[in-house]
CSV table of all heavy atoms in Angstrom, one decimal:
chain,number,residue,atom,x,y,z
K,1,MET,N,129.6,102.7,100.3
K,1,MET,CA,128.6,101.6,100.1
K,1,MET,C,127.9,101.3,101.5
K,1,MET,O,128.5,101.4,102.5
K,1,MET,CB,129.4,100.3,99.7
K,1,MET,CG,128.5,99.2,99.2
K,1,MET,SD,129.4,97.8,98.7
K,1,MET,CE,130.0,98.3,97.1
K,2,ARG,N,126.6,101.0,101.3
K,2,ARG,CA,125.8,100.7,102.6
K,2,ARG,C,126.2,99.4,103.2
K,2,ARG,O,126.6,98.5,102.5
K,2,ARG,CB,124.3,100.6,102.2
K,2,ARG,CG,123.7,101.9,102.1
K,2,ARG,CD,122.2,101.9,101.8
K,2,ARG,NE,121.5,100.8,102.5
K,2,ARG,CZ,120.3,100.3,102.2
K,2,ARG,NH1,119.7,100.8,101.2
K,2,ARG,NH2,119.8,99.4,102.9
K,3,GLN,N,126.2,99.4,104.5
K,3,GLN,CA,126.5,98.2,105.3
K,3,GLN,C,125.2,97.3,105.3
K,3,GLN,O,124.1,97.8,105.7
K,3,GLN,CB,126.9,98.6,106.7
K,3,GLN,CG,127.3,97.4,107.6
K,3,GLN,CD,128.7,96.9,107.1
K,3,GLN,OE1,129.4,97.5,106.4
K,3,GLN,NE2,128.9,95.6,107.5
K,4,VAL,N,125.3,96.1,104.9
K,4,VAL,CA,124.1,95.2,104.9
K,4,VAL,C,124.0,94.6,106.3
K,4,VAL,O,125.0,94.1,106.8
K,4,VAL,CB,124.3,94.1,103.8
K,4,VAL,CG1,123.1,93.2,103.9
K,4,VAL,CG2,124.4,94.8,102.4
K,5,ALA,N,122.8,94.7,106.8
K,5,ALA,CA,122.6,94.1,108.2
K,5,ALA,C,122.5,92.6,108.0
K,5,ALA,O,121.8,92.1,107.2
K,5,ALA,CB,121.3,94.6,108.7
K,6,LYS,N,123.3,91.9,108.8
K,6,LYS,CA,123.4,90.5,108.7
K,6,LYS,C,122.3,89.9,109.7
K,6,LYS,O,122.2,90.3,110.8
K,6,LYS,CB,124.7,89.9,109.1
K,6,LYS,CG,125.8,90.3,108.1
K,6,LYS,CD,127.1,89.6,108.4
K,6,LYS,CE,128.1,90.0,107.3
K,6,LYS,NZ,129.4,89.4,107.6
K,7,LYS,N,121.6,89.0,109.1
K,7,LYS,CA,120.5,88.3,109.9
K,7,LYS,C,120.9,86.9,110.2
K,7,LYS,O,121.5,86.2,109.3
K,7,LYS,CB,119.2,88.3,109.2
K,7,LYS,CG,118.7,89.7,108.8
K,7,LYS,CD,117.9,90.3,109.9
K,7,LYS,CE,117.2,91.6,109.5
K,7,LYS,NZ,116.7,92.3,110.6
K,8,SER,N,120.5,86.4,111.3
K,8,SER,CA,120.8,85.0,111.6
K,8,SER,C,119.8,84.1,110.8
K,8,SER,O,118.8,84.6,110.3
K,8,SER,CB,120.6,84.7,113.1
K,8,SER,OG,119.2,84.8,113.4
K,9,VAL,N,120.1,82.9,110.6
K,9,VAL,CA,119.3,81.9,109.9
K,9,VAL,C,117.9,81.8,110.5
K,9,VAL,O,116.9,81.8,109.8
K,9,VAL,CB,119.9,80.5,109.8
K,9,VAL,CG1,119.0,79.5,109.2
K,9,VAL,CG2,121.2,80.6,109.0
K,10,SER,N,117.9,81.8,111.9
K,10,SER,CA,116.6,81.7,112.5
K,10,SER,C,115.7,82.9,112.3
K,10,SER,O,114.5,82.9,112.2
K,10,SER,CB,116.8,81.4,114.0
K,10,SER,OG,117.4,82.5,114.7
K,11,GLU,N,116.4,84.1,112.3
K,11,GLU,CA,115.6,85.4,112.0
K,11,GLU,C,115.0,85.4,110.6
K,11,GLU,O,113.9,85.7,110.4
K,11,GLU,CB,116.5,86.6,112.2
K,11,GLU,CG,116.8,86.9,113.6
K,11,GLU,CD,117.8,88.1,113.7
K,11,GLU,OE1,118.8,88.1,113.0
K,11,GLU,OE2,117.5,89.0,114.5
K,12,LEU,N,115.8,84.9,109.6
K,12,LEU,CA,115.4,84.8,108.3
K,12,LEU,C,114.2,83.8,108.1
K,12,LEU,O,113.3,84.1,107.4
K,12,LEU,CB,116.5,84.5,107.3
K,12,LEU,CG,117.6,85.6,107.2
K,12,LEU,CD1,118.8,85.0,106.3
K,12,LEU,CD2,117.0,86.8,106.5
K,13,LYS,N,114.4,82.7,108.8
K,13,LYS,CA,113.3,81.7,108.7
K,13,LYS,C,112.0,82.2,109.3
K,13,LYS,O,110.9,82.0,108.8
K,13,LYS,CB,113.8,80.4,109.5
K,13,LYS,CG,112.8,79.3,109.3
K,13,LYS,CD,113.4,78.0,110.0
K,13,LYS,CE,112.4,76.9,109.8
K,13,LYS,NZ,112.8,75.7,110.5
K,14,SER,N,112.1,82.9,110.4
K,14,SER,CA,111.0,83.5,111.1
K,14,SER,C,110.3,84.5,110.2
K,14,SER,O,109.1,84.6,110.0
K,14,SER,CB,111.4,84.1,112.4
K,14,SER,OG,110.3,84.8,113.0
K,15,LEU,N,111.1,85.4,109.6
K,15,LEU,CA,110.6,86.4,108.7
K,15,LEU,C,109.9,85.7,107.4
K,15,LEU,O,108.8,86.2,107.0
K,15,LEU,CB,111.7,87.3,108.2
K,15,LEU,CG,111.4,88.5,107.3
K,15,LEU,CD1,110.4,89.4,108.0
K,15,LEU,CD2,112.6,89.3,106.9
K,16,SER,N,110.5,84.7,106.9
K,16,SER,CA,110.0,84.0,105.8
K,16,SER,C,108.6,83.4,106.2
K,16,SER,O,107.7,83.5,105.4
K,16,SER,CB,110.9,82.9,105.4
K,16,SER,OG,110.4,82.1,104.3
K,17,GLU,N,108.5,82.8,107.3
K,17,GLU,CA,107.2,82.2,107.8
K,17,GLU,C,106.2,83.3,108.0
K,17,GLU,O,105.0,83.1,107.6
K,17,GLU,CB,107.4,81.5,109.1
K,17,GLU,CG,108.2,80.2,108.9
K,17,GLU,CD,108.6,79.5,110.3
K,17,GLU,OE1,108.3,80.1,111.3
K,17,GLU,OE2,109.2,78.4,110.2
K,18,GLU,N,106.6,84.4,108.5
K,18,GLU,CA,105.6,85.6,108.7
K,18,GLU,C,105.1,86.1,107.4
K,18,GLU,O,103.9,86.3,107.2
K,18,GLU,CB,106.3,86.7,109.5
K,18,GLU,CG,105.4,87.8,109.9
K,18,GLU,CD,106.1,88.9,110.7
K,18,GLU,OE1,107.2,88.6,111.3
K,18,GLU,OE2,105.7,90.0,110.6
K,19,LEU,N,106.0,86.2,106.4
K,19,LEU,CA,105.6,86.7,105.1
K,19,LEU,C,104.7,85.7,104.4
K,19,LEU,O,103.8,86.1,103.7
K,19,LEU,CB,106.9,87.0,104.2
K,19,LEU,CG,107.7,88.2,104.6
K,19,LEU,CD1,109.0,88.3,103.8
K,19,LEU,CD2,106.9,89.5,104.4
K,20,ALA,N,105.0,84.4,104.6
K,20,ALA,CA,104.1,83.4,104.0
K,20,ALA,C,102.7,83.4,104.6
K,20,ALA,O,101.7,83.3,103.8
K,20,ALA,CB,104.8,82.0,104.2
K,21,LEU,N,102.6,83.7,105.9
K,21,LEU,CA,101.3,83.8,106.5
K,21,LEU,C,100.6,85.0,106.0
K,21,LEU,O,99.4,85.0,105.8
K,21,LEU,CB,101.5,83.8,108.0
K,21,LEU,CG,101.8,82.5,108.7
K,21,LEU,CD1,102.1,82.8,110.2
K,21,LEU,CD2,100.7,81.5,108.6
K,22,GLU,N,101.3,86.1,105.9
K,22,GLU,CA,100.7,87.4,105.4
K,22,GLU,C,100.2,87.1,103.9
K,22,GLU,O,99.1,87.6,103.6
K,22,GLU,CB,101.7,88.5,105.4
K,22,GLU,CG,101.9,89.0,106.8
K,22,GLU,CD,102.8,90.2,106.9
K,22,GLU,OE1,103.0,90.9,105.9
K,22,GLU,OE2,103.3,90.5,108.0
K,23,ALA,N,101.0,86.4,103.1
K,23,ALA,CA,100.5,86.1,101.7
K,23,ALA,C,99.3,85.3,101.7
K,23,ALA,O,98.4,85.5,100.9
K,23,ALA,CB,101.7,85.5,101.0
K,24,GLN,N,99.2,84.3,102.6
K,24,GLN,CA,98.1,83.4,102.7
K,24,GLN,C,96.8,84.2,103.2
K,24,GLN,O,95.8,84.0,102.6
K,24,GLN,CB,98.4,82.3,103.7
K,24,GLN,CG,97.4,81.1,103.7
K,24,GLN,CD,97.9,80.0,104.6
K,24,GLN,OE1,98.7,80.2,105.5
K,24,GLN,NE2,97.4,78.8,104.3
K,25,ILE,N,97.0,85.1,104.1
K,25,ILE,CA,95.9,85.9,104.6
K,25,ILE,C,95.4,86.8,103.4
K,25,ILE,O,94.2,86.9,103.2
K,25,ILE,CB,96.3,86.8,105.8
K,25,ILE,CG1,96.5,85.9,107.0
K,25,ILE,CG2,95.2,87.9,106.0
K,25,ILE,CD1,97.1,86.6,108.2
K,26,ALA,N,96.3,87.4,102.7
K,26,ALA,CA,95.9,88.2,101.5
K,26,ALA,C,95.2,87.4,100.5
K,26,ALA,O,94.2,87.9,99.9
K,26,ALA,CB,97.2,88.9,100.9
K,27,GLN,N,95.6,86.2,100.2
K,27,GLN,CA,94.9,85.3,99.3
K,27,GLN,C,93.5,85.0,99.8
K,27,GLN,O,92.6,85.0,99.0
K,27,GLN,CB,95.7,84.0,99.1
K,27,GLN,CG,95.1,83.1,98.0
K,27,GLN,CD,95.1,83.8,96.6
K,27,GLN,OE1,96.1,84.3,96.1
K,27,GLN,NE2,93.9,83.8,96.0
K,28,TYR,N,93.4,84.7,101.0
K,28,TYR,CA,92.0,84.4,101.6
K,28,TYR,C,91.1,85.6,101.4
K,28,TYR,O,89.9,85.5,101.1
K,28,TYR,CB,92.1,84.0,103.1
K,28,TYR,CG,92.7,82.7,103.4
K,28,TYR,CD1,93.3,82.4,104.6
K,28,TYR,CD2,92.5,81.6,102.5
K,28,TYR,CE1,93.9,81.2,104.8
K,28,TYR,CE2,93.0,80.4,102.8
K,28,TYR,CZ,93.7,80.1,103.9
K,28,TYR,OH,94.2,78.9,104.2
K,29,ARG,N,91.6,86.8,101.7
K,29,ARG,CA,90.8,88.0,101.5
K,29,ARG,C,90.4,88.2,100.1
K,29,ARG,O,89.3,88.6,99.8
K,29,ARG,CB,91.6,89.2,102.0
K,29,ARG,CG,91.7,89.3,103.5
K,29,ARG,CD,92.5,90.5,104.0
K,29,ARG,NE,92.5,90.5,105.5
K,29,ARG,CZ,93.4,91.3,106.1
K,29,ARG,NH1,94.3,92.0,105.5
K,29,ARG,NH2,93.4,91.2,107.5
K,30,ALA,N,91.3,88.0,99.2
K,30,ALA,CA,91.0,88.1,97.7
K,30,ALA,C,90.0,87.1,97.3
K,30,ALA,O,89.0,87.4,96.6
K,30,ALA,CB,92.3,87.9,96.9
K,31,ASP,N,90.0,85.9,97.9
K,31,ASP,CA,89.0,84.8,97.6
K,31,ASP,C,87.7,85.3,98.1
K,31,ASP,O,86.6,85.1,97.4
K,31,ASP,CB,89.4,83.5,98.2
K,31,ASP,CG,90.6,82.9,97.5
K,31,ASP,OD1,91.0,83.3,96.4
K,31,ASP,OD2,91.2,81.9,98.2
K,32,ILE,N,87.6,85.9,99.3
K,32,ILE,CA,86.3,86.3,99.9
K,32,ILE,C,85.8,87.4,99.0
K,32,ILE,O,84.6,87.4,98.7
K,32,ILE,CB,86.5,86.8,101.3
K,32,ILE,CG1,86.8,85.6,102.2
K,32,ILE,CG2,85.3,87.6,101.8
K,32,ILE,CD1,87.3,85.9,103.6
K,33,ILE,N,86.6,88.4,98.6
K,33,ILE,CA,86.1,89.5,97.7
K,33,ILE,C,85.6,88.9,96.4
K,33,ILE,O,84.5,89.3,95.9
K,33,ILE,CB,87.2,90.5,97.5
K,33,ILE,CG1,87.5,91.3,98.8
K,33,ILE,CG2,86.9,91.5,96.4
K,33,ILE,CD1,88.8,92.1,98.8
K,34,GLU,N,86.3,88.0,95.8
K,34,GLU,CA,85.9,87.4,94.6
K,34,GLU,C,84.5,86.7,94.7
K,34,GLU,O,83.6,86.8,93.9
K,34,GLU,CB,86.9,86.4,94.1
K,34,GLU,CG,86.7,85.9,92.7
K,34,GLU,CD,87.9,84.9,92.3
K,34,GLU,OE1,89.0,85.3,92.6
K,34,GLU,OE2,87.6,83.9,91.7
K,35,ALA,N,84.4,86.0,95.8
K,35,ALA,CA,83.1,85.3,96.1
K,35,ALA,C,82.0,86.3,96.3
K,35,ALA,O,80.8,86.1,95.8
K,35,ALA,CB,83.2,84.4,97.3
K,36,ASN,N,82.2,87.4,97.0
K,36,ASN,CA,81.2,88.4,97.1
K,36,ASN,C,80.8,89.1,95.8
K,36,ASN,O,79.6,89.4,95.6
K,36,ASN,CB,81.7,89.5,98.1
K,36,ASN,CG,81.7,89.0,99.5
K,36,ASN,OD1,81.0,88.1,99.9
K,36,ASN,ND2,82.5,89.6,100.4
K,37,VAL,N,81.8,89.3,94.9
K,37,VAL,CA,81.5,89.9,93.6
K,37,VAL,C,80.6,88.9,92.8
K,37,VAL,O,79.6,89.3,92.2
K,37,VAL,CB,82.8,90.2,92.9
K,37,VAL,CG1,82.5,90.5,91.4
K,37,VAL,CG2,83.5,91.4,93.5
K,38,ARG,N,81.0,87.6,92.8
K,38,ARG,CA,80.1,86.6,92.1
K,38,ARG,C,78.7,86.6,92.7
K,38,ARG,O,77.7,86.5,91.9
K,38,ARG,CB,80.8,85.2,92.3
K,38,ARG,CG,81.9,84.9,91.3
K,38,ARG,CD,82.2,83.5,91.2
K,38,ARG,NE,82.4,82.8,92.5
K,38,ARG,CZ,83.5,82.7,93.1
K,38,ARG,NH1,84.6,83.1,92.6
K,38,ARG,NH2,83.6,82.0,94.3
K,39,LYS,N,78.6,86.7,94.0
K,39,LYS,CA,77.3,86.7,94.7
K,39,LYS,C,76.5,87.9,94.2
K,39,LYS,O,75.3,87.8,93.9
K,39,LYS,CB,77.5,86.7,96.2
K,39,LYS,CG,76.2,86.6,97.0
K,39,LYS,CD,76.4,86.6,98.5
K,39,LYS,CE,75.2,86.7,99.2
K,39,LYS,NZ,75.4,86.8,100.7
K,40,MET,N,77.1,89.1,94.2
K,40,MET,CA,76.4,90.3,93.8
K,40,MET,C,75.9,90.2,92.3
K,40,MET,O,74.8,90.6,92.0
K,40,MET,CB,77.3,91.5,94.0
K,40,MET,CG,77.5,91.8,95.5
K,40,MET,SD,78.4,93.4,95.8
K,40,MET,CE,79.6,93.6,94.6
K,41,LYS,N,76.8,89.6,91.5
K,41,LYS,CA,76.4,89.5,90.1
K,41,LYS,C,75.3,88.5,89.9
K,41,LYS,O,74.3,88.8,89.2
K,41,LYS,CB,77.6,89.0,89.3
K,41,LYS,CG,78.7,90.1,89.0
K,41,LYS,CD,79.8,89.5,88.1
K,41,LYS,CE,80.8,90.6,87.9
K,41,LYS,NZ,82.0,90.0,87.1
K,42,SER,N,75.3,87.4,90.6
K,42,SER,CA,74.2,86.5,90.5
K,42,SER,C,72.9,87.0,91.1
K,42,SER,O,71.8,86.8,90.6
K,42,SER,CB,74.6,85.1,91.1
K,42,SER,OG,74.8,85.3,92.5
K,43,GLN,N,73.0,87.8,92.1
K,43,GLN,CA,71.9,88.5,92.7
K,43,GLN,C,71.3,89.5,91.7
K,43,GLN,O,70.0,89.6,91.6
K,43,GLN,CB,72.2,89.2,94.0
K,43,GLN,CG,71.1,89.8,94.8
K,43,GLN,CD,70.0,88.8,95.2
K,43,GLN,OE1,70.4,87.7,95.7
K,43,GLN,NE2,68.8,89.1,95.1
K,44,ALA,N,72.1,90.2,91.0
K,44,ALA,CA,71.6,91.2,90.1
K,44,ALA,C,70.9,90.5,88.9
K,44,ALA,O,69.9,90.9,88.4
K,44,ALA,CB,72.8,92.0,89.5
K,45,GLU,N,71.5,89.3,88.5
K,45,GLU,CA,70.8,88.5,87.4
K,45,GLU,C,69.5,88.0,87.9
K,45,GLU,O,68.5,88.0,87.1
K,45,GLU,CB,71.7,87.4,87.0
K,45,GLU,CG,73.0,87.9,86.2
K,45,GLU,CD,74.0,86.7,86.0
K,45,GLU,OE1,73.6,85.6,86.2
K,45,GLU,OE2,75.1,87.0,85.6
K,46,TYR,N,69.4,87.6,89.1
K,46,TYR,CA,68.2,87.1,89.7
K,46,TYR,C,67.1,88.2,89.7
K,46,TYR,O,66.0,88.0,89.4
K,46,TYR,CB,68.5,86.5,91.1
K,46,TYR,CG,67.2,86.1,91.8
K,46,TYR,CD1,66.6,84.9,91.6
K,46,TYR,CD2,66.7,86.9,92.8
K,46,TYR,CE1,65.4,84.5,92.3
K,46,TYR,CE2,65.6,86.5,93.5
K,46,TYR,CZ,64.9,85.3,93.3
K,46,TYR,OH,63.8,84.9,93.9
K,47,THR,N,67.5,89.4,90.1
K,47,THR,CA,66.6,90.5,90.2
K,47,THR,C,66.1,90.8,88.8
K,47,THR,O,64.9,91.1,88.7
K,47,THR,CB,67.4,91.7,90.9
K,47,THR,OG1,67.8,91.3,92.1
K,47,THR,CG2,66.4,92.9,91.0
K,48,LYS,N,67.0,90.8,87.8
K,48,LYS,CA,66.5,91.1,86.5
K,48,LYS,C,65.5,90.1,86.0
K,48,LYS,O,64.5,90.4,85.4
K,48,LYS,CB,67.7,91.1,85.5
K,48,LYS,CG,68.6,92.3,85.6
K,48,LYS,CD,69.7,92.2,84.6
K,48,LYS,CE,70.7,93.3,84.7
K,48,LYS,NZ,71.9,93.1,83.8
K,49,LEU,N,65.8,88.8,86.3
K,49,LEU,CA,64.8,87.7,85.9
K,49,LEU,C,63.5,87.9,86.6
K,49,LEU,O,62.4,87.8,86.0
K,49,LEU,CB,65.4,86.4,86.2
K,49,LEU,CG,66.6,85.9,85.3
K,49,LEU,CD1,67.1,84.6,85.8
K,49,LEU,CD2,66.0,85.7,83.9
K,50,ARG,N,63.5,88.2,87.9
K,50,ARG,CA,62.3,88.5,88.6
K,50,ARG,C,61.5,89.6,88.0
K,50,ARG,O,60.3,89.5,87.9
K,50,ARG,CB,62.6,88.7,90.1
K,50,ARG,CG,63.2,87.6,90.9
K,50,ARG,CD,62.2,86.7,91.5
K,50,ARG,NE,61.3,87.4,92.3
K,50,ARG,CZ,60.3,86.8,92.9
K,50,ARG,NH1,60.0,85.6,92.6
K,50,ARG,NH2,59.4,87.5,93.6
K,51,ALA,N,62.2,90.7,87.7
K,51,ALA,CA,61.5,91.8,87.1
K,51,ALA,C,60.9,91.5,85.7
K,51,ALA,O,59.8,91.9,85.4
K,51,ALA,CB,62.5,93.0,86.9
K,52,ALA,N,61.7,90.7,84.9
K,52,ALA,CA,61.1,90.3,83.6
K,52,ALA,C,59.9,89.4,83.8
K,52,ALA,O,59.0,89.5,83.0
K,52,ALA,CB,62.2,89.5,82.9
K,53,ILE,N,59.9,88.5,84.8
K,53,ILE,CA,58.7,87.6,85.0
K,53,ILE,C,57.5,88.4,85.4
K,53,ILE,O,56.4,88.1,85.0
K,53,ILE,CB,59.1,86.6,86.1
K,53,ILE,CG1,60.1,85.6,85.5
K,53,ILE,CG2,57.9,85.8,86.5
K,53,ILE,CD1,60.7,84.7,86.5
K,54,LYS,N,57.7,89.4,86.2
K,54,LYS,CA,56.6,90.2,86.7
K,54,LYS,C,55.9,91.1,85.6
K,54,LYS,O,54.8,91.5,85.8
K,54,LYS,CB,57.1,91.2,87.9
K,54,LYS,CG,57.3,90.4,89.2
K,54,LYS,CD,57.7,91.4,90.3
K,54,LYS,CE,57.9,90.6,91.6
K,54,LYS,NZ,58.3,91.5,92.7
K,55,ARG,N,56.6,91.3,84.5
K,55,ARG,CA,56.1,92.1,83.5
K,55,ARG,C,55.1,91.4,82.7
K,55,ARG,O,54.7,90.4,82.5
K,55,ARG,CB,57.2,92.6,82.5
K,55,ARG,CG,57.9,93.8,83.1
K,55,ARG,CD,58.8,94.4,82.1
K,55,ARG,NE,60.2,94.2,82.5
K,55,ARG,CZ,61.3,94.2,81.7
K,55,ARG,NH1,61.1,94.3,80.5
K,55,ARG,NH2,62.5,94.0,82.2
């Protein structure tokens, strides 16, 4: 059976905080990507409307 490495409470707390920060960064990045996609979609709709008006 494998030997489980024992971590101190402070090490586990530090790791937990680090993982929470990484998760928060990932969520911010996902939000930015989502906003960029919405922006591109609205820009495409605007371009279609402009083209329709020019005809």
